Amino acid sequence: MEELLVFAFLLNEEIVTIDEYNKRLHELFLANLENDGLLYLEWETDIKKAITYIRMHVDYDALDYGQFGRILMGKLKVCYKNCPDIKSFANHMYHLWESLPGNIQEKEPFFILCYADDPLSWGDEKQTRNIYEHMLDYYEDEKDGTSQEL
């Protein structure tokens, strides 16, 4: 469910496409044909209803924040690399942070989304990029066994 939750947040901010979501949803459903939630989402054609369904059916107490974060940062890393305008990226990131539930907003690395664009107000694009790149690489140390888990 963590991956679909990532898609729900990113779809809401128009960071990923509906086609990307549908492709991944089909793959997940085909791998788990007995899952009623995935079946519902396969049939739901209104993307806003699908996003609402996902957000309402996630057990936030049981959510694997590490997995959620790795998936989210992976998707955001692609967006960051493909976005030529740091101000536009920053605007999307702040809105993404606002859309996260409070229990996620306050955790690292997600909290970074709310302040990473601050240096842009005094023209320091380099510092903003450094902050975002630190956030996007937050889970990279796991490969070395030195995780920064929440």
Side-chain angles (χ1 to χ4, degrees), residues 63-120:
L63 187 69
D64 181 339
Y65 290 100
Q67 182 181 8
F68 172 81
R70 283 186 292 280
I71 295 166
L72 179 62
M73 294 309 144
K75 297 285 184 194
L76 293 180
K77 196 176 279 192
V78 171
C79 179
Y80 178 77
K81 288 179 180 176
N82 294 326
C83 186
D85 180 18
I86 190 67
K87 290 179 183 175
S88 174
F89 180 81
N91 189 45
H92 279 290
M93 295 305 99
Y94 185 76
H95 289 292
L96 174 62
W97 177 77
E98 286 183 314
S99 72
L100 296 173
N103 62 328
I104 296 175
Q105 282 181 334
E106 297 173 10
K107 295 183 187 289
E108 290 295 337
F110 316 111
F111 186 67
I112 294 170
L113 293 167
C114 84
Y115 68 80
D117 63 338
D118 287 354
L120 290 176

Side-chain angles (χ1 to χ4, degrees), residues 5-93:
L5 185 60
V6 167
F7 271 102
F9 289 123
L10 297 181
L11 280 166
N12 199 47
E13 292 303 316
E14 299 177 355
I15 295 172
V16 296
T17 66
I18 294 172
D19 288 341
E20 288 176 85
Y21 161 76
N22 282 328
K23 181 180 182 228
R24 187 60 183 139
L25 175 61
H26 295 320
E27 292 168 355
L28 292 170
F29 177 68
L30 290 175
N32 192 358
L33 295 171
E34 303 299 318
N35 186 303
D36 291 338
L38 294 175
L39 177 62
Y40 171 85
L41 291 168
E42 278 285 310
W43 283 98
E44 182 54 71
T45 58
D46 183 332
I47 197 65
K48 290 191 183 294
K49 288 182 181 177
I51 290 169
T52 300
Y53 179 88
I54 293 167
R55 291 185 66 168
M56 292 186 70
H57 286 84
V58 168
D59 180 357
Y60 290 96
D61 292 328
L63 187 69
D64 181 339
Y65 290 100
Q67 182 181 8
F68 172 81
R70 283 186 292 280
I71 295 166
L72 179 62
M73 294 309 144
K75 297 285 184 194
L76 293 180
K77 196 176 279 192
V78 171
C79 179
Y80 178 77
K81 288 179 180 176
N82 294 326
C83 186
D85 180 18
I86 190 67
K87 290 179 183 175
S88 174
F89 180 81
N91 189 45
H92 279 290
M93 295 305 99

Side-chain angles (χ1 to χ4, degrees), residues 110-141:
F110 316 111
F111 186 67
I112 294 170
L113 293 167
C114 84
Y115 68 80
D117 63 338
D118 287 354
L120 290 176
S121 66
W122 58 85
D124 194 346
E125 181 178 320
K126 183 178 179 185
Q127 186 177 3
T128 291
R129 287 189 178 280
N130 287 337
I131 294 168
Y132 279 129
E133 289 166 13
H134 168 74
M135 176 193 75
L136 295 171
D137 291 339
Y138 187 84
Y139 296 97
E140 292 299 313
D141 288 340

